[in-house]
Amino acid sequence: MALRDPSVRVLALLLLVTGIGMAWYKSQMLGLPLLPTEQARVWTVEARVKFEAEGGPAKLDLAIPAEQLAGHRRLGEDFISSNYGLATEQRGDNRLARWAVRRARGEQVLYYRLQMTPRAEVADTQWEPPAYPAVPDYPEPYGSAVTALLETVRGESADIASFTRALLRRFGAEQPDDHVRLLRENAPGSAESVRRLIWVLAGARIPARIVWLLPMEDGMRQGSLQPWLQVHEGQRWLSYDPVSGAPGLPGNALVWRVGDGPLVTTSGGSPAQVEFSAALGERDVVELAQRDNAGLAKYSLYGLPVNTQNAYRILLAVPIGALLVVLLRNVVGVKTFGTFMPVLIALAFRETRLLWGITLFIMIVAIGLLLRRYLEHLKLLLVPRLAAVLTLVILIMVGISLLSHQLGLDRALSVALFPMVILAMTVERMSLVWEEHGARDAFQQGFGSLLVAVLGYLVMNQALVQHLVFVFPELLLVVLAATLLLGRYTGYRLSELWRFRSAAAARELS
Amino acid sequence: MLISPRKLRELGIVGMNQRNGEYIMPCNPRRLFPLVDDKLATKRLAEAAGIAVPQLYGVIRTERQVRELGAMLKGREDFVIKPAHGSGGAGIVVVTDRRPGGFRRSNGRIVTREALEHHVSNILSGMHSLGGAPDQALIEQRVRFAPVFEKLTYGGVPDIRSIVFRGVPVMAMVRLPTQQSDGKANLHQGAVGAGIALASGRTLSGVWRERLVHHHPDTGMEIAGLAIPGWDRLMVLAARCQELVGLDYLGVDVVLDAERGPLVLELNARPGLSIQLANRKGLAHRLDRIKALAAIPDQAEERAALAMRLFADGAEECETTAVWRGWWRRSA
């Protein structure tokens, strides 16, 4: 039943060929991936620095992780420090964030936030190997204890790695001999015991250093740094657990800094306290690979700044949702409130996840409808009434957030991401339809809107769909072609097969 | 139980997409829409052309004028308030008489003057208008419908909807308010729609809530077989409305006033499709027949006659029951 005019079909074909062609060229010739790759774990680590400023100029230096050190690849970092000037610099193996402000009084809170992904191999061979330490001048009775201990350990080992392991085994033994008991005095695992180990290792002229690790847990709030031991075996630094003697770094740990320098120094204020928190998220590996694949950055949106990318991630999914709305309205015949309202609700579902999204949507609209009923008695004019409904919707959202926070339902906090103007309009329109056409129509359209939103979420949230439109935005031309063709669809809607169901029977009757 | 698309096509049922894409878009130029979307404009056009419409008592255009509502209604026992840009019967309030403490609406509820004023200001703010644009409120004569439909109506005014294609009426139905439709003559809201045989002006049995009915759900009277008085003139009236606004796919709503005869209530550039159910006939075949005509007469009278001739095939006629025939003769 399509119209005869061929121009729409020709245009659609052109768009289709262009879109598919460009995407094909990019995937075949430029090697851009057609399928989304697996997700990588991305940690967001935050250091919260707090101190009391005295009123004059204040300066604060915070050691921050250097990428070369070990175990991570930096994806991005933020320094949140309102009116402070900021500079970062490399000092030895460490990086420093240097904050300074002309005048500061009272409690100051600065944040350093790092997004990173763990990286297994440590390639810090480009660093100059450290000089062999001189043998310390051990005072007695330590001197003889060190000599005896090193002698025993040397006999049990073949190279620096096995030497260190043997030393650590003896040092951490449950029943240590007298020499070790004398040397280790302090509690095992403390920074002091690591320093003792470095001191002892210097006796064998083995370069060793203390590094500070941040063990990370998802949702960690008040983490702290732990000392760790590293020895240089001529090529690279080897890491050891100072307590158990196990080689390597623990899983999910970030080397924050190296050496015995201070973590944080302040001037013009009280000594600062540092608290660490960490959270685990996921991100496309493609995104992580963007630095390595020049084509990806050049011919897809991966070349844009990350926050612009994030905006486009959402924007590019919208035409897919819009196409779905066209399909559901013109081919299926679903009734909704507002044409694209369900798409916006679907976008909010991205953050809230489906189950919470539906629950929150129904809660807000139901409470909104009840309150709107009451507003009806006040006989308000249209625009003020809309404003009142909008205010009520926001209050409902705040209420839900507070309540769910009390109950520990953190997912419900994402209610704040709902498009409240759209929700207010939905409440208003639903109550109008209710009044004019009855509850049946109101629920029918409300349910229709929710259904389209859910389907929209399911489609727009497909990893494959998201990946394809992001890496191959020209595929939107194909979406456009489909939309144009559907724009000329004049056949029956699915719902009309139900609506006109009595047409056939009626004819026979009459 | 669904009906297959092929069967629908056989029956000539026009769907929403086809109506929009093949009839409304090519036949109805957008620039003419304001003439029918604005009931005040339609009314003025009709009056200028000598077509009878419900008498206009007044127009309220601004919030300030809402206060004048009382003065405007002075001496009026009954009236109708409607938005100039309303659609689907939304925002229409019918007042049948005055009562101590207020007005009585057609649905029996008593409303105060303040409630009416609030309703008017809602209309002005665009609550019932297409797209929510600011609107005007019309106060006009309440139609006291001709007794012919008395036993087929519950608490409202029945109207006759015709689809006029290129100036030729192609299908008609009478819409009978029910208790469920709250006195409104809108099928979607629960009114009964009964098809009308174009040649004779007699009703066929009706549809209610998309189901076939033979009797009015509230009054229990049989729907089919009622002859609408002055049907020839009604057809001419419908045909003339095309000249009025120039829309080639037009819905014409006419009411039969007890004293003034047929009045044009409103015109519609996007008439609904339920008329096909009410007539148990698809529009497509009839529209195609008009399309196939080499020429369409200039005179409305000739176009009406053409319609009555073209669509007079006997299959469409419903046998009129003797009871109805008898009742009709007596009441006419």
Side-chain angles (χ1 to χ4, degrees), chain A residues 406-429:
Chain A
Q406 290 285 318
L407 297 176
L409 302 167
D410 276 355
R411 192 49 97 174
L413 289 177
S414 51
V415 66
L417 296 159
F418 268 112
M420 59 260 178
V421 176
I422 300 291
L423 282 174
M425 296 297 282
T426 305
V427 168
E428 175 68 18
R429 291 172 86 149

Side-chain angles (χ1 to χ4, degrees), chain A residues 25 77 100 121 134 167 170 193 202 213-214 253 259 261 273 284 299 332 351 361 364 375 403 420 446 458:
Chain A
Y25 180 80
E77 58 184 354
E121 78 283 12
L167 176 66
R170 294 210 159 263
S193 83
L213 297 183
L214 179 67
Q273 291 174 316
D284 281 343
Y299 299 103
V332 179
E351 306 296 329
F361 177 80
I364 294 176
L375 282 187
L403 191 70
M420 59 260 178
L458 292 178

Side-chain angles (χ1 to χ4, degrees), chain A residues 138-139 141-150 167 171 177-186 192-193 196-197 199-200:
Chain A
Y138 298 110
Y142 299 110
S144 44
V146 170
T147 316
L149 179 60
L150 290 179
L167 176 66
F171 217 74
D177 58 32
D178 292 341
H179 303 306
V180 171
R181 193 171 293 136
L182 172 68
L183 287 172
R184 78 174 190 193
E185 279 178 78
N186 292 21
E192 192 47 42
S193 83
R196 280 289 167 93
L197 278 167
W199 187 58
V200 171

